Amino acid sequence: MVDLIRCAKRHRTSVHTSSRRFIGDPARDLARLLPGQWHASVEIYSHPAWQEDLVPWIWDSGELGRAVQSERIPYAALLTDAVQGITLLFIERPGRQLDYLVGSFSPEGLEGGYGDPHAPRSIVLPPFAGRAAQALTGRYLPAYEQAVHARQTAAIAAVLGDIRCEHDTWQAMNASGRYSDATPLSAAARGAATELFLDHLAPFPDRRRPRPGAARPVPTREQPVARRRRGPLPSGRRRD
């Protein structure tokens, strides 16, 4: 510690101690008590932009989602069950000396979690691993599964609505022999319209949640979040 303080002074910065445990320790204690194959890792968000990149991926309608957007969170732990495809964010509860918050990232196979009305509510966890594991398995994870089911149902209903609309348009064109602007529909064009309708049906099964362990699509634009999930961390960030 003395050497650390001396080094900090040389670089014109300061060192502050905390009564809290290093966040990786309670996260690992909790992961060991959860049913299944859970793994705990630590991330450092030393730059506020790295924290901001979490926002689109957080799937939460409670305190954790608000904290990520409005409070400075310099570090956090990830609790991951790769078999079930679940990733949770575990942070120190802002403004409290002992409590933690846990919430989830958007589930596998369902795009984006920010602002989703189906998102589960994060919960407060005590600093005791046994009680925290009971709260997570007894309250949060069942609510999470219900929320995933509700979101899947809504996604399927939306796709079915699109298919019905496409089908109605296709039927009307075939019945009238004309496009919607009254242009005559040739036999070749009718066949093309039928193929287009069938092509729109093809992606439907792919919109369902993939099997556990399936890879999450990487965002097309470069983000620290994508690097966090897929590759090396930028300089200054670390992960257990």
Side-chain angles (χ1 to χ4, degrees):
M1 179 62 73
V2 173
D3 291 340
L4 179 62
I5 293 175
R6 287 174 180 169
C7 180
K9 286 182 178 179
R10 285 198 303 270
H11 292 277
R12 297 180 181 180
T13 186
S14 59
V15 174
H16 299 276
T17 59
S18 172
S19 59
R20 282 184 180 269
R21 301 170 64 198
F22 172 61
I23 196 165
D25 295 334
R28 281 188 285 270
D29 291 345
L30 177 57
R32 282 193 289 266
L33 295 177
L34 296 176
Q37 301 178 25
W38 289 85
H39 172 72
S41 60
V42 174
E43 295 200 330
I44 307 298
Y45 310 122
S46 54
H47 194 289
W50 295 343
Q51 177 184 332
E52 292 170 4
D53 284 322
L54 295 174
V55 173
W57 298 94
I58 295 297
W59 194 46
D60 185 67
S61 59
E63 186 176 347
L64 182 136
R66 295 191 296 271
V68 169
Q69 294 182 70
S70 60
E71 303 285 346
R72 184 70 181 97
I73 300 172
Y75 46 80
L78 300 185
L79 298 170
T80 305
D81 184 339
V83 175
Q84 296 298 322
I86 302 174
T87 302
L88 306 179
L89 185 67
F90 179 81
I91 68 171
E92 295 174 351
R93 191 181 185 190
R96 302 299 178 91
Q97 288 297 316
L98 298 175
D99 296 337
Y100 296 92
L101 289 173
V102 68
S104 68
F105 288 94
S106 54
E108 295 281 356
L110 296 175
E111 298 177 355
Y114 179 75
D116 182 7
H118 302 101
R121 294 181 64 85
S122 51
I123 63 171
V124 177
L125 296 181
F128 310 105
R131 288 169 52 190
Q134 288 177 355
L136 199 58
T137 56
R139 292 167 47 205
Y140 186 79
L141 291 179
Y144 172 89
E145 291 299 331
Q146 290 178 2
V148 169
H149 177 73
R151 188 171 178 188
Q152 289 175 326
T153 301
I156 292 172
V159 173
L160 289 174
D162 292 342
I163 291 174
R164 291 190 188 98
C165 183
E166 293 277 356
H167 182 258
D168 290 345
T169 301
W170 174 76
Q171 276 194 321
M173 288 172 57
N174 274 281
S176 66
R178 296 179 179 276
Y179 288 104
S180 57
D181 62 358
T183 303
L185 186 66
S186 65
R190 183 174 299 183
T194 301
E195 290 208 11
L196 180 61
F197 170 66
L198 294 176
D199 286 343
H200 286 177
L201 294 182
F204 175 66
D206 297 332
R207 301 195 185 194
R208 296 175 297 180
R209 189 181 184 186
R211 294 186 301 274
R216 180 191 301 274
V218 180
T220 54
R221 64 185 183 88
E222 293 185 359
Q223 317 179 28
V225 169
R227 291 195 296 269
R228 170 171 61 78
R229 297 189 176 216
R230 297 292 179 181
L233 298 173
S235 177
R237 301 177 71 186
R238 61 188 178 86
R239 172 170 55 200
D240 283 0

